[in-house]
Amino acid sequence: QVQLAESGGGSVQSGGSLRLACATRGTADNGNCVAWFRQPPGKEREGVAALWTERGLTYYENPVKGRFTVSQDNAKTTVYLQMNDLKPEDTGLYYCAARWARSPHSCYSGGVFDYWGQGTQVTVSS
């Protein structure tokens, strides 16, 4: 079910930065676990990072640790993905997704996400 909206994608050179935004309807409607996924060209979708909105706790997959940062606004309706030191292998269609999770561990350990955005393209050239 599409209820989220991503923005901020674009084309950058290697080493550049982008900040993606995911507009949600808030915790009550979309849940307390918001994750970012990406689908590289010709590959399956993969997880990137997750945020448990209740306490702002975050989780990152190894390829993006130290380069990407997930955060939220004070109203907890927009989740950001700050991407620094971008590499060509970061190229892909980036999605945000949301669901309810009982705990941060539950949020980070996968599961079915109920709400999705339509994606925003990120292209990193070498």
Side-chain angles (χ1 to χ4, degrees):
Q1 188 172 4
V2 178
Q3 289 195 3
L4 313 182
E6 304 94 341
S7 61
S11 297
V12 296
Q13 292 190 328
S14 183
S17 298
L18 284 172
R19 187 174 81 155
L20 307 184
C22 173
T24 78
R25 297 185 182 182
T27 301
D29 287 341
N30 295 137
N32 59 0
C33 174
V34 179
W36 286 94
F37 295 83
R38 65 186 181 189
Q39 186 164 16
K43 297 184 179 180
E44 293 187 354
R45 188 169 60 200
E46 60 189 22
V48 174
L51 171 74
W52 196 55
T53 64
E54 293 188 17
R55 289 166 56 188
L57 300 178
T58 56
Y59 171 84
Y60 302 94
E61 295 291 345
N62 285 336
V64 306
K65 277 183 182 177
R67 300 188 298 123
F68 290 13
T69 302
V70 180
S71 62
Q72 61 183 335
D73 66 350
N74 289 336
K76 297 183 180 179
T77 57
T78 303
V79 174
Y80 301 98
L81 182 66
Q82 177 67 44
M83 305 186 295
N84 297 329
D85 190 22
L86 283 162
K87 304 176 181 181
E89 51 264 42
D90 294 317
T91 293
L93 189 59
Y94 281 70
Y95 299 89
C96 62
R99 65 181 180 92
W100 280 99
R102 290 184 176 183
S103 67
H105 177 74
S106 176
C107 176
Y108 309 151
S109 61
V112 177
F113 282 81
D114 301 302
Y115 306 102
W116 290 83
Q118 293 187 317
T120 185
Q121 180 66 37
V122 171
T123 303
V124 185
S125 57
S126 58

